[in-house]
Amino acid sequence: MRKPLVAGNWKMFKLIGEAVDTVNALKSQVADVTGIEIVVCPTFTALHPVAQALKGSNVAIGGQNIYPKENGAYTGEISPQMLLDAGCSWTIIGHSERRQYFKETDAFLNEKIKFALGAGLKVMFCIGETLEEREGGKMNDVLCRQVTHGLQGLSAAQFEQVSVAYEPVWAIGTGVTASPAQAEEAHAFVRSLLRDQFGADVAEGVRIQYGGSVKPDNAAELMAQPNVDGSLVGGASLKADSFAAIVKASLC
Ligand code: PGA
């Protein structure tokens, strides 16, 4: 049985004070929730204060990106060790915004994943097709390429620290959510790729989160799909009430 993982990706939103206020409200609203892993991923400047505010709660913290070096002359970058030091246990890697705006390739993402895992962070690895790719009948090819190259070389033990987030690019921030059937079809395909490449145990154990316009009113039907094991929530995670409602709708 895979434990659902519900994570909020705050992207480049919230100054420190607002971030702390949000998690203070969130932690009391989800204090009774068991059986779901809850994570928030604030901007770098808010990580440490948010971690302090969440101490002793059932909400964990993640970064949104890492650079695959422990330290050094890499102006503007941040290491997994620094995220751990700030209180993180997770990081997102390969979000479509990083692939699109910062030209991150599958090979570079593979390097980042291995480095983050080696440092002791857990990884949410994002994949997903654009609308053009979907309409051109390339969805499966794109997902296959992203899984094959992004995750190549990981051991079964490393997969215990990895979640895959299927985020169709056309559904991110658009208000257009994949239907439960579309999400299930893609998730089942991703799981079949994991089975073919890494074996049945890895495929059955890895959580596959759905991301892309998840809201309180569509979370339950997405989560009811057999291969949907959680969500990665952008816009609707910015308010404690709506993120808490998504967490609670994920209890099924
Ligand atoms: P959204 O973003 O929920 O605002 O569509 C999801 C994401 O980018 O992870």
Side-chain angles (χ1 to χ4, degrees):
M1 195 47 198
R2 297 179 292 266
K3 185 176 185 177
L5 171 60
V6 178
N9 171 13
W10 289 358
K11 309 191 179 185
M12 200 172 75
F13 291 103
K14 292 189 188 294
L15 303 179
I16 293 169
E18 196 192 344
V20 169
D21 289 349
T22 305
V23 292
N24 278 333
L26 177 68
K27 72 178 176 186
S28 52
Q29 293 189 41
V30 299
D32 296 338
V33 173
T34 53
I36 294 195
E37 203 169 342
I38 309 167
V39 184
V40 288
C41 302
T43 46
F44 295 136
T45 52
L47 287 174
H48 190 249
V50 162
Q52 297 295 112
L54 287 174
K55 257 198 183 129
S57 78
N58 58 348
V59 181
I61 301 131
Q64 299 173 14
N65 185 31
I66 58 107
Y67 190 72
K69 294 282 179 200
E70 183 172 351
N71 50 42
Y74 302 102
T75 303
E77 295 297 327
I78 195 157
S79 70
Q81 288 80 4
M82 289 165 180
L83 293 189
L84 287 159
D85 186 44
C88 295
S89 47
W90 285 92
T91 187
I92 298 170
I93 289 183
H95 192 278
S96 63
E97 287 149 16
R98 302 240 28 116
R99 294 177 186 262
Q100 186 185 346
Y101 303 137
F102 303 99
K103 310 289 176 240
E104 296 191 358
T105 63
D106 293 313
F108 185 44
L109 297 174
N110 182 254
E111 189 186 339
K112 286 188 180 201
I113 292 171
K114 288 175 175 162
F115 195 82
L117 292 172
L121 276 178
K122 293 179 269 190
V123 169
M124 286 178 245
F125 174 54
C126 303
I127 59 173
E129 81 287 356
T130 63
L131 188 58
E132 199 184 357
E133 290 163 342
R134 172 173 278 258
E135 289 180 341
K138 300 216 170 67
M139 177 178 103
N140 287 2
D141 290 348
V142 170
L143 295 178
C144 183
R145 189 200 75 222
Q146 292 173 335
V147 166
T148 305
H149 297 293
L151 295 172
Q152 83 180 6
L154 264 62
S155 67
Q158 285 177 311
F159 268 106
E160 290 173 15
Q161 312 301 319
V162 173
S163 170
V164 176
Y166 169 65
E167 300 205 302
V169 180
W170 47 272
I172 295 178
T174 58
V176 181
T177 318
S179 68
Q182 285 173 319
E184 174 58 20
E185 184 192 0
H187 284 225
F189 177 65
V190 170
R191 204 174 301 286
S192 75
L193 292 171
L194 293 171
R195 189 174 300 113
D196 293 347
Q197 296 182 28
F198 303 102
D201 288 351
V202 166
E204 287 314 307
V206 171
R207 290 173 289 186
I208 306 177
Q209 300 159 266
Y210 169 78
S213 297
V214 175
K215 305 261 175 330
D217 61 6
N218 61 25
E221 54 177 5
L222 287 162
M223 284 297 300
Q225 304 305 309
N227 283 292
V228 176
D229 310 311
S231 51
L232 182 54
V233 187
S237 73
L238 293 170
K239 292 219 159 38
D241 291 0
S242 64
F243 190 51
I246 290 169
V247 168
K248 288 176 185 167
S250 308
L251 284 164
C252 53

